[in-house]
Amino acid sequence: MRCFTGEQLRSYCTQVLTRAGISPTDAATVADCLVDADLSGVESHGVSRLSIYLQRLDAGVVEKENRVRVLSESPAALAVDAGNCMGAVGATFAMKKCIEKAAQAGSCWATVKSSNHFGTAAYYTKMAASAGMIGIAMTNVTAKIAPWGSSDAYMGTNPISIAVPSEGLPVVLDMAPSVVAMGKLILAQKLGKSIPEGWALGPDGKPTTDPAVGRKGTLVPIGGPKGSGLAIFVDIFCGVLSGGEFGPHLNDLYADMVNPQGVGHIFCAIDISKFVPLETFRSRISQMSEEIKALHKNPGVSEIFMPGEIECRRHAERLEKGIEISDAVYAELQEIGARYGVSLS
Ligand SMILES: NC(=O)c1ccc[n+]([C@@H]2O[C@H](COP(=O)([O-])OP(=O)(O)OC[C@H]3O[C@@H](n4cnc5c(N)ncnc54)[C@H](O)[C@@H]3O)[C@@H](O)[C@H]2O)c1
């Protein structure tokens, strides 16, 4: 284990991505998105993804140049084509535009097509919450969940995040409709660990504790047909409404180094002040959090957490104490650093 500050990791990732051909502004956006995940304790979507991002840039399967363009725009809606550039670049552009337009129209939705892996959905909804708005973000991703009743993967582990501001930490739900995100299997495999039963099924449809076998099979949806239904609807928003790819027509981040991924996203910002005064909303969310946290705890439960509370607290703690990087991920970063002439110190 090695410990780094968020700033050290951000600067390292920005330099590497810039040397890989990304503009300094876009490199800083991607780096911030990755490091935010590590700060929040979502290591599966942090700097451990830098390696595959670089491999795809090197293979020419992700555009280095910023080709993000607005296809159509009205006061409360935006359709964006990300031009196959890095996921966080098109996604950040779309959420920033939603926040800007929601301040006028009251709310704004933006679809993004022809994009790539965008990291955590919470990264974008927290932007809206910081601006005193409600944020919603979803993305589709390579098929890894079977529709209820089948063993064939059709939908991705398409995550949904919703965030609201409070008087203190924002309340941030960020969840894949599978028991866990695929990133947790990828990280477990990288660290040589097994996974708990109930996370994944092998290609034979049987439960597995081997992350490599789970990666070849499917991930278990939450709540059976309900998780499967949620994954389908996220794909309808991100793949169908955006005019992009859906279901098995998306290509795999790791297995396909020839074709663009074809990822789609959707974002929404809602200006709270158009409904109730922002301060009233903030204080009522804080009241709700306090009431929930004060409820009777089940045996063995030491604290009740609001959605995102664990991640936001960890974020504050790691900003102060630093981020511990596993030996496997550190070795990967060192190898990348040597290749691009950037040292991580
Ligand atoms: N870009 C992509 O293609 C992609 C695909 C899938 C998932 N993801 C990301 O992967 C990350 C992990 O997803 P996940 O589904 O494994 O998340 P998770 O299961 O770790 O957490 C889901 C939600 O539950 C909340 N939670 C967890 N423990 C809690 C507790 N004890 N009490 C109250 N709330 C609690 C968390 O705050 C979070 O909001 C997310 O950031 C998601 O956006 C990205």
Side-chain angles (χ1 to χ4, degrees):
M1 285 280 187
R2 304 283 176 124
C3 193
F4 297 97
T5 64
E7 197 35 56
Q8 281 175 312
L9 289 174
R10 212 176 284 117
S11 155
Y12 165 83
C13 292
T14 305
Q15 287 180 63
V16 167
L17 286 162
T18 307
R19 293 200 179 178
I22 304 296
S23 75
T25 309
D26 290 348
T29 299
V30 177
D32 192 54
C33 174
L34 293 176
V35 175
D36 179 79
D38 282 311
L39 284 167
S40 308
V42 189
E43 290 89 357
S44 53
H45 289 71
V47 296
S48 66
R49 296 293 181 129
L50 185 63
S51 165
I52 189 65
Y53 284 4
L54 291 165
Q55 284 173 49
R56 294 188 75 80
L57 285 168
D58 287 351
V61 75
V62 171
E63 279 298 331
K64 295 178 179 170
E65 203 183 304
N66 185 330
R67 295 195 179 163
V68 177
R69 66 196 172 101
V70 174
L71 298 174
S72 71
E73 184 166 1
S74 49
L78 195 72
V80 175
D81 183 331
N84 191 32
C85 69
M86 299 199 77
V89 173
T92 299
F93 169 84
M95 185 45 116
K96 282 187 174 165
K97 286 287 275 183
C98 279
I99 294 168
E100 201 181 293
K101 288 167 78 64
Q104 300 299 319
S107 67
C108 179
W109 287 89
T111 57
V112 181
K113 71 170 185 175
S114 302
S115 186
N116 285 287
H117 188 268
F118 79 0
T120 68
Y123 180 70
Y124 309 98
T125 56
K126 285 190 291 182
M127 279 181 201
S130 304
M133 295 194 185
I134 297 174
I136 303 174
M138 308 179 210
T139 185
N140 64 8
V141 56
T142 323
K144 270 298 160 200
I145 297 180
W148 196 240
S150 173
S151 298
D152 297 337
Y154 192 92
M155 305 82 71
T157 52
N158 308 338
I160 305 174
S161 175
I162 308 175
V164 296
S166 78
E167 285 175 329
L169 296 174
V171 180
V172 190
L173 178 70
D174 184 11
M175 48 164 273
S178 45
V179 174
V180 290
M182 178 54 80
K184 291 191 179 153
L185 269 69
I186 297 167
L187 193 60
Q189 190 180 3
K190 217 173 249 185
L191 302 179
K193 291 184 177 166
S194 62
I195 53 167
E197 201 172 298
W199 281 14
L201 308 175
D204 55 3
K206 294 197 179 128
T208 180
T209 55
D210 181 340
V213 175
R215 285 184 71 183
K216 290 190 197 123
T218 58
L219 288 172
V220 176
I222 49 166
K226 302 176 200 179
S228 158
L230 261 182
I232 290 173
F233 265 94
V234 173
D235 214 2
I236 289 173
F237 280 115
C238 301
V240 183
L241 185 67
S242 71
E245 305 296 342
F246 60 85
H249 310 293
L250 268 75
N251 296 308
D252 193 83
L253 177 69
Y254 288 87
D256 186 339
M257 298 303 277
V258 176
N259 299 297
Q261 267 199 285
V263 168
H265 325 297
I266 192 160
F267 302 95
C268 174
I270 301 172
D271 184 353
I272 295 163
S273 70
K274 300 284 195 295
F275 296 85
V276 285
L278 180 57
E279 287 323 306
T280 309
F281 182 88
R282 282 188 200 275
S283 95
R284 285 172 53 111
I285 293 293
S286 295
Q287 179 193 343
M288 181 189 260
S289 302
E290 279 162 25
E291 287 175 2
I292 288 174
K293 292 182 70 65
L295 292 174
H296 175 76
K297 295 174 204 55
N298 284 335
V301 173
S302 58
E303 185 173 355
I304 296 170
F305 297 102
M306 287 297 281
E309 186 177 351
I310 296 173
E311 290 84 355
C312 287
R313 275 206 213 165
R314 214 181 272 140
H315 193 284
E317 193 185 298
R318 289 186 176 186
L319 263 184
E320 204 178 298
K321 295 189 182 154
I323 301 164
E324 285 194 342
I325 298 289
S326 68
D327 292 341
V329 174
Y330 179 64
E332 215 173 65
L333 296 181
Q334 273 195 312
E335 188 271 316
I336 291 169
R339 200 154 19 105
Y340 289 90
V342 180
S343 72
L344 176 57
S345 53

